[in-house]
Amino acid sequence: MTTYFAPLEGITGWVYRSVHHQMFPGITAYYTPFWAPTLDSPLAGRGLADVLPEHNQGVPVVPQLLTNQADAFLAAARMLRDLGYREVNLNLGCPSGTVVAKKKGSGFLGLPEQLDAFFDQVFSAGLDVTISVKTRVGLNDPDSWPALAAIFDRYPISLLIVHPRIRRDFYREPVRPETFQYAADHIHLPLCYNGDLNTPQDCRDILARFPTVDRLMLGRGLVANPALVRELAGGPALTKNELWEFVHRLTEAYRQVLPGDHTVLGKCKELWFYMGCLFTNPEKYLKAMRKAKTLTDFTLAADALFRDQDLTPGGHFSI
């Protein structure tokens, strides 16, 4: 079984990936949060900082791009190749309204002819990097999935990561496993399943349901429980002590690179939106953490949670 860490905007940047990989090795590759290249500026700012080799030493990373312009994709992919990357991922899954309005992310799925032309231009360019794709199964209608699947299957995509929801499902509606079954039955590319893999049993159930698939991409469940892949492999469950160490190492790593404690505070609050589910009776402490105006107050509330509460056996992220 192969496991990948899904990109989560604002959370799984290079600082997070570095600390996670040090403490919880075993992930095959970390996919970066996307950035949107343009032909004039294919790789700059936050996108560049996140993929600089010196920020990712020893961490297996795949950069993700968000664009519907083949020329911009190719320009960014060539720059990433020159930085040493051998795979670039195209985001066709983001459901954000601002992204979809620009016909990017899952919005691009509503333009199948343009998508086909995009792939034709990209794969005709002779790039010496492989191209993987992370996709939903349609924009507004799952009935569009067979036609989209046929487009994907025409091109030498190195890995097709399928999140079996349409755009309007966002992340709250149930996944649509029948659409992944269609992919398994009709697409001749390497496939990876992504979506609602929050416990080891969730992962085992998917592997049993789709026996020809041995690649999983985990996202929110892995952010909530950083040891989830270790547990899936039969290793020990996450302990409170190592979670405390992970949190404090990550906070200190953020303080070394981010401009001021207020920025670090924002990062910590985002992370605890997911991790709070691991504890017994956490709400009082989480409320104090959400209301904290300073990093010191936030840390005091978090330390009180660790001091007063235990990890819930089998605790996991759920909507």
Side-chain angles (χ1 to χ4, degrees):
M1 181 186 59
T2 301
T3 53
Y4 306 104
F5 206 138
L8 274 76
E9 179 69 19
I11 295 180
T12 60
W14 69 270
V15 176
Y16 179 94
R17 296 192 302 264
S18 177
V19 176
H20 184 273
H21 189 65
Q22 290 168 14
M23 289 196 62
F24 302 99
I27 304 294
T28 302
Y30 295 77
Y31 284 68
T32 72
F34 72 77
W35 76 92
T38 65
L39 189 56
D40 292 336
S41 182
L43 190 60
R46 175 188 59 82
L48 177 59
D50 202 42
V51 297
L52 284 174
E54 58 264 34
H55 288 166
N56 293 283
Q57 292 183 7
V59 182
V61 170
V62 176
Q64 185 182 80
L65 303 178
L66 178 91
T67 183
N68 56 16
Q69 300 298 312
D71 288 341
F73 182 92
L74 289 168
R78 291 185 178 109
M79 293 183 71
L80 289 164
R81 174 202 60 198
D82 293 344
L83 288 174
Y85 291 97
R86 293 295 174 260
E87 178 186 342
V88 178
N89 183 260
L90 174 67
N91 181 316
L92 294 176
C94 180
S96 163
T98 55
V99 167
V100 170
K102 297 176 183 177
K103 310 302 182 185
K104 299 178 182 180
S106 59
F108 203 1
L109 299 176
L111 302 171
E113 292 183 1
Q114 290 91 324
L115 181 63
D116 197 3
F118 174 96
F119 282 131
D120 183 64
Q121 184 176 344
V122 165
F123 283 105
S124 297
L127 280 178
D128 51 351
V129 297
T130 61
I131 298 167
S132 58
V133 173
K134 186 175 187 293
T135 187
R136 289 191 176 227
V137 295
L139 179 58
N140 296 314
D141 186 351
D143 289 343
S144 65
W145 178 230
L148 291 168
I151 292 172
F152 294 133
D153 206 35
R154 283 200 285 273
Y155 296 96
I157 294 168
S158 64
L159 179 66
L160 186 65
I161 304 160
V162 178
H163 183 97
R165 287 184 171 102
I166 59 175
R167 182 265 171 171
R168 62 179 170 84
D169 293 334
F170 286 87
Y171 295 99
R172 293 189 175 276
E173 297 299 322
V175 294
R176 301 170 183 265
E178 70 280 1
T179 60
F180 193 88
Q181 185 64 62
Y182 184 91
D185 291 342
H186 294 88
I187 296 177
H188 301 90
L189 301 168
L191 293 177
C192 173
Y193 183 96
N194 167 242
D196 290 1
L197 299 176
N198 298 321
T199 70
Q201 192 58 49
D202 291 339
C203 299
R204 296 185 190 107
D205 289 346
I206 289 299
L207 294 171
R209 180 164 187 168
F210 306 110
T212 62
V213 174
D214 62 355
R215 305 178 195 218
L216 302 176
M217 175 173 275
L218 297 85
R220 295 174 296 170
L222 185 51
V223 172
N225 175 3
L228 179 56
V229 166
R230 183 181 73 193
E231 294 177 16
L232 176 59
L238 181 71
T239 68
K240 190 164 68 168
N241 285 341
E242 67 179 340
L243 182 61
W244 184 92
E245 181 182 355
F246 176 68
V247 168
H248 280 262
R249 286 174 61 175
L250 184 57
T251 302
E252 184 55 32
Y254 281 136
R255 294 188 71 186
Q256 295 299 316
V257 301
L258 294 179
D261 282 359
H262 183 73
T263 308
V264 178
L265 176 62
K267 288 287 188 185
C268 293
K269 287 185 176 183
E270 286 181 309
L271 184 62
W272 276 98
F273 171 79
Y274 296 95
M275 295 197 312
C277 64
L278 298 180
F279 287 83
T280 58
N281 303 313
E283 189 51 42
K284 176 180 73 173
Y285 308 89
L286 295 176
K287 183 178 180 180
M289 292 157 71
R290 289 192 295 267
K291 293 175 65 176
K293 302 297 184 183
T294 68
L295 184 59
T296 297
D297 288 344
F298 182 93
T299 302
L300 288 171
D303 285 347
L305 173 61
F306 276 103
R307 182 188 66 239
D308 298 342
Q309 302 296 325
D310 293 321
L311 295 186
T312 301
H316 63 276
F317 178 78
S318 61
I319 295 173

